[in-house]
Amino acid sequence: MIISNTLIYPQGAGLPTVTMNAEVNGSGTSHPGINLPLLIDKFTADASTGSQKVEEVSVTSQKHELSAKFQKIEDIVPSSKTVLDITSNSQKDIDISLNNKNKDIFADPQKIEVLLCDRESQTELIGSKFKEIVEQEGKKEKTKLEANEDSKFKDKLTEEEEENLKKYNRRIPEERSTLQKDKIEEHFDKLPWVFGALGRVLNLGITYGPQFAPLNIPLNRRLQTFAVLFWMSTFLFMGAGSLFFLLYLFFYTKYWWVTLCYLTWFIGDRTICNRGGRRLEWLRGCFLWKHYRDFFPIHLIKTAELDPSKNYIMGYHPHGILSAGAFCHFATEGTNFSKRFPGFTPYLLTLEAQIILPFYREFFMATGAVSATRESMDYLLGQEGSGRALCLVVGGAKESLDCHPGTVVLHLNKRKGFCKMALRHGASLVPMFSFGENEIYDQITNPEGSLLRRFQNSLQKVIGLAPCMFIGRGVFQYSFGIVPFRKPIYTVVGSPIDVPLVKNPTKEQIVGLHETYVKAVVDLYNKYKTKYSEFPECEIKIV
């Protein structure tokens, strides 16, 4: 059978029109492949009875045309590994598809024309896919560049925030040696607490010595250190030292009568701490407390007005090691509390155990401190008149054992007595939070359940005071001592919570007021932590 047909190439292909006359036998034998010129040649060579031959086609021109097409594709293809893989897979798919189409090419020579058109359409499809891939890669690169720009912008904002926070003394200037934790502390902080303490005292394990205070420190800074040392010495040594001194006079000297006279005085005066104390305004306003304030320094931030026609119970949080901020605000006029809140008489409520030691009790009560007992609060809030501001460190001594730098743990869940007292006398509650109180001392790690913590809890139940094991700095060196670190303390006074007068409050009323107060404390902390806290990322924990 003689078949005559004309091959028409796609427009713009650059190949001449080819007329073919071929004889196809009935066997329908096909030769797979994608090189059409070679297929045509083979078809002509293998024909046994054909009288017509396919006109000669220039193989060279067809190869040139195909190479030109693939050269265009190569210009589109990216050099990335992913695109090359896609190219290889796409080429394999096209070859398989064309081989399947060429199986019966000799059965119907008209398919030669269709095959050529399919070849070009598949080539155009590959080119469009490559263009899409290139565009996608370009978009990804653009997205990465934008993300990098955004991250740089965010880093810039973070640096600006750091600069703004430095004005609140959140970061210790490195150039001020008296305010920094030096390399010696960093070295000993890696050691267990006991070994670190011994190393600080004896200068063990390092080649450089302890960092001593320079000789050219200004006089006002020396007065600040002296004021804080005096405060610490009265707390740690005045009471115990006076007790041992009286015992020595009684047993070992002829001045035994001095001890007897003081004992007689103490028996008659022991309840004065529950009846308003015995304050001395000249001692409260002593110039020494101004230097005490400036050592840290300590700030009093007023956020709301208080009505002097009412009485207030002002909750101080957290306890810290020694409640340095509460002492400065309410036991002295270091921050001018009476001027900041005119018409008020401040009282600092503390453990009764601190007001039984000889001589120290007289000093402490002279500053305006009274006992934190029910009798004391009933006396102060039940008296005629108003304008009394009672500062109560709600967490108590137990909370001081959880006071570590960078943590905020408040013992409030079981502290509801002050809410009952507020309801009984109609005294408004004022939450206060002192940022930096936990940072002025380092304390040995004592998690709940540890041997040290069990010992501390047992001793605290016996003596009433929490035996905190803390480390500060020294007077003439900055490695070890009882003097606190120079860290700023910001005491924020929140808005008052009005409390109705209920002589016999119910449990539901007490619990409701307690929940309101706890929420106010948490909100106060969250509102001002980014501005005043050295660790604003720290979350408050109520236990």
Side-chain angles (χ1 to χ4, degrees):
M1 178 175 62
I2 303 301
I3 297 176
S4 177
N5 200 357
T6 301
L7 297 179
I8 302 175
Y9 290 85
Q11 185 176 2
L15 296 178
T17 303
V18 179
T19 302
M20 294 190 303
N21 295 318
E23 180 180 350
V24 181
N25 55 19
S27 62
T29 305
S30 63
H31 301 271
I34 62 173
N35 195 327
L36 293 181
L38 296 179
L39 286 175
I40 294 172
D41 293 341
K42 188 170 183 62
F43 170 74
T44 304
D46 292 344
S48 59
T49 59
S51 59
Q52 299 292 334
K53 292 184 179 179
V54 179
E55 294 182 4
E56 182 176 355
V57 180
S58 176
V59 177
T60 304
S61 62
Q62 293 186 34
K63 289 183 178 180
H64 176 74
E65 186 270 339
L66 291 175
S67 63
K69 289 184 179 181
F70 283 101
Q71 183 64 35
K72 294 180 180 179
I73 296 173
E74 291 174 358
D75 295 338
I76 299 173
V77 177
S79 60
S80 63
K81 183 178 179 181
T82 305
V83 176
L84 290 175
D85 294 339
I86 297 174
T87 304
S88 178
N89 295 334
S90 301
Q91 183 66 40
K92 290 180 181 179
D93 295 338
I94 294 171
D95 291 342
I96 293 172
S97 175
L98 291 177
N99 288 336
N100 293 333
K101 288 184 178 181
N102 289 338
K103 286 183 180 180
D104 55 349
I105 187 173
F106 293 104
D108 189 359
Q110 292 181 354
K111 294 184 178 180
I112 296 176
E113 178 182 354
V114 177
L115 186 61
L116 291 173
C117 294
D118 290 343
R119 179 72 177 185
E120 184 168 357
S121 63
Q122 292 290 345
T123 303
E124 294 176 353
L125 179 62
I126 293 173
S128 63
K129 287 184 177 180
F130 291 160
K131 290 181 181 179
E132 293 177 359
I133 294 171
V134 172
E135 292 176 355
Q136 291 177 359
E137 291 293 330
K139 290 180 179 179
K140 290 180 180 179
E141 292 295 331
K142 185 177 180 180
T143 303
K144 290 180 179 179
L145 291 175
E146 293 176 352
N148 292 335
E149 292 296 330
D150 291 340
S151 63
K152 291 179 181 178
F153 181 69
K154 291 178 180 178
D155 292 339
K156 185 178 180 181
L157 289 180
T158 303
E159 292 175 358
E160 292 176 357
E161 291 176 355
E162 289 292 331
E163 291 296 328
N164 291 334
L165 291 174
K166 282 183 179 179
K167 67 181 180 180
Y168 298 107
N169 296 329
R170 291 187 56 220
R171 298 292 181 264
I172 302 173
E174 295 181 357
E175 65 274 10
R176 297 174 64 183
S177 60
T178 56
L179 300 183
Q180 69 175 339
K181 283 192 172 183
D182 52 18
K183 294 181 180 179
I184 301 176
E185 289 187 345
E186 294 178 0
H187 170 79
F188 288 123
D189 285 342
K190 300 177 183 179
L191 303 177
W193 185 84
V194 176
F195 296 104
L198 292 175
R200 284 181 169 96
V201 175
L202 303 177
N203 188 25
L204 300 176
I206 53 176
T207 57
Y208 46 85
Q211 185 178 6
F212 291 97
L215 297 177
N216 58 347
I217 290 181
L219 178 60
N220 65 323
R221 290 181 62 83
R222 294 192 181 276
L223 291 176
Q224 294 168 10
T225 305
F226 173 77
V228 176
L229 179 63
F230 173 77
W231 166 67
M232 283 297 303
S233 300
T234 57
F235 175 78
L236 294 177
F237 308 120
M238 180 180 284
S242 299
L243 178 61
F244 285 112
F245 176 71
L246 291 176
L247 293 176
Y248 172 76
L249 291 179
F250 184 80
F251 289 104
Y252 298 101
T253 70
K254 60 181 180 180
Y255 300 103
W256 55 268
W257 54 270
V258 175
T259 303
L260 189 60
C261 289
Y262 186 85
L263 180 61
T264 305
W265 159 262
F266 174 79
I267 293 175
D269 193 62
R270 69 183 185 278
T271 60
I272 189 64
C273 61
N274 294 324
R275 293 183 284 112
R278 189 183 298 106
R279 59 197 299 125
L280 297 176
E281 292 299 333
W282 68 267
L283 181 59
R284 287 177 50 85
C286 180
F287 74 96
L288 197 65
W289 307 126
K290 302 297 182 182
H291 294 294
Y292 172 87
R293 174 201 63 193
D294 295 336
F295 175 87
F296 298 94
I298 300 175
H299 307 273
L300 181 65
I301 293 92
K302 180 181 178 181
T303 63
E305 294 291 340
L306 301 183
D307 186 1
S309 64
K310 299 180 180 179
N311 292 324
Y312 292 90
I313 298 177
M314 308 180 72
Y316 186 88
H317 309 278
H319 184 284
I321 300 298
L322 297 174
S323 300
F327 177 83
C328 185
H329 299 314
F330 292 89
T332 74
E333 289 296 327
T335 55
N336 298 319
F337 183 90
S338 298
K339 294 181 180 179
R340 299 291 301 277
F341 296 93
F344 282 93
T345 303
Y347 293 88
L348 177 62
L349 276 63
T350 184
L351 292 174
E352 190 174 10
Q354 293 195 51
I355 315 181
I356 61 174
L357 295 176
F359 297 114
Y360 177 68
R361 64 187 296 271
E362 279 72 35
F363 165 77
F364 205 13
M365 284 192 296
T367 62
V370 293
S371 177
T373 60
R374 185 183 66 180
E375 294 79 11
S376 177
M377 297 180 72
D378 279 335
Y379 179 87
L380 293 174
L381 298 175
Q383 293 292 311
E384 293 183 0
S386 58
R388 297 183 180 90
L390 280 61
C391 175
L392 177 65
V393 185
V394 181
K398 188 174 180 60
E399 186 177 278
S400 63
L401 298 175
D402 286 318
C403 293
H404 299 272
T407 62
V408 180
V409 180
L410 304 184
H411 289 244
L412 276 175
N413 288 337
K414 297 182 180 180
R415 309 279 177 164
K416 299 182 177 69
F418 69 101
C419 294
K420 181 179 180 180
M421 195 63 61
L423 288 168
R424 288 180 57 186
H425 296 280
S428 299
L429 294 177
V430 179
M432 295 187 297
F433 199 95
S434 196
F435 296 93
E437 184 68 59
N438 286 348
E439 278 70 54
I440 63 174
Y441 280 108
D442 288 334
Q443 184 176 188
I444 181 175
T445 303
N446 56 342
E448 285 288 351
S450 63
L451 178 61
L452 176 61
R453 186 58 175 269
R454 292 199 301 268
F455 170 77
Q456 290 175 323
N457 290 335
S458 301
L459 190 59
Q460 188 260 330
K461 292 179 181 179
V462 174
I463 65 177
L465 301 175
C468 299
M469 304 185 70
F470 57 89
I471 299 177
R473 45 155 286 191
V475 178
F476 301 107
Q477 47 81 30
Y478 306 126
S479 300
F480 180 85
I482 62 173
V483 179
F485 298 114
R486 287 182 181 263
K487 296 292 188 69
I489 298 176
Y490 298 94
T491 303
V492 182
V493 181
S495 301
I497 302 172
D498 292 332
V499 179
L501 176 60
V502 182
K503 288 296 184 180
N504 296 306
T506 62
K507 183 177 180 180
E508 290 75 13
Q509 291 174 322
I510 296 173
V511 172
L513 179 59
H514 181 268
E515 292 177 352
T516 303
Y517 178 83
V518 172
K519 183 179 182 302
V521 172
V522 174
D523 293 342
L524 185 67
Y525 172 79
N526 292 330
K527 183 178 180 179
Y528 292 99
K529 66 179 181 179
T530 56
K531 188 174 183 180
Y532 297 118
S533 176
E534 187 177 352
F535 304 94
E537 71 281 355
C538 179
E539 296 295 331
I540 189 171
K541 182 179 180 182
I542 308 297
V543 297

